[in-house]
Amino acid sequence: MQYNYFPGRLRVRDPVFRVEEIRAAAIHAVRMLADDVEISYNEKTASILALYDASKVNVGTLKPLIPYLLKIEPKVRFYTPAKKQDILDGIRQIEERIAQGLAE
């Protein structure tokens, strides 16, 4: 999985996003990060691009998500349909962590 980050812009690229359920779950999780996030998906490159107001997202609050991303990354890298539910469960854990952070 390839991540490109610049304040106000996040692109995540991987063929696993061609799986509609995984793509929808990932987009939902990213939408939770900011109210005004604009998200687009490019089928050709299998990438999700999120544009947001960098002043409204504290990068420090995103650091606790790294262990969750690292946990699902090997399943994404060597994706097979049998790993789909594990990836969806990992994204759900990320969503729960985001929700906890937003509630604090």
Side-chain angles (χ1 to χ4, degrees):
M1 186 173 295
Q2 178 184 357
Y3 302 91
N4 298 87
Y5 170 77
F6 187 79
R9 187 176 194 277
L10 172 67
R11 181 181 302 274
V12 184
R13 183 181 316 213
D14 194 277
V16 76
F17 293 127
R18 291 193 173 104
V19 178
E20 188 173 346
E21 280 182 275
I22 294 173
R23 178 176 64 246
I27 289 172
H28 182 265
V30 172
R31 282 195 196 284
M32 294 175 70
L33 296 174
D35 294 334
D36 62 346
V37 66
E38 295 177 32
I39 298 177
S40 60
Y41 171 69
N42 183 323
E43 178 67 31
K44 190 173 186 177
T45 61
S47 66
I48 296 171
L49 173 65
L51 302 173
Y52 58 93
D53 183 349
S55 68
K56 294 183 180 179
V57 177
N58 180 352
V59 177
T61 62
L62 301 179
K63 287 183 182 181
L65 300 177
I66 292 171
Y68 297 97
L69 291 168
L70 292 175
K71 183 177 175 184
I72 63 172
E73 195 274 333
K75 294 174 180 115
V76 169
R77 187 177 338 140
F78 302 107
Y79 178 74
T80 65
K83 297 177 184 176
K84 179 178 164 182
Q85 191 58 51
D86 288 340
I87 294 169
L88 292 171
D89 291 343
I91 294 171
R92 195 168 305 112
Q93 288 178 335
I94 290 169
E95 289 175 338
E96 289 170 5
R97 182 64 178 112
I98 292 169
Q100 290 171 358
L102 297 175
E104 294 173 353

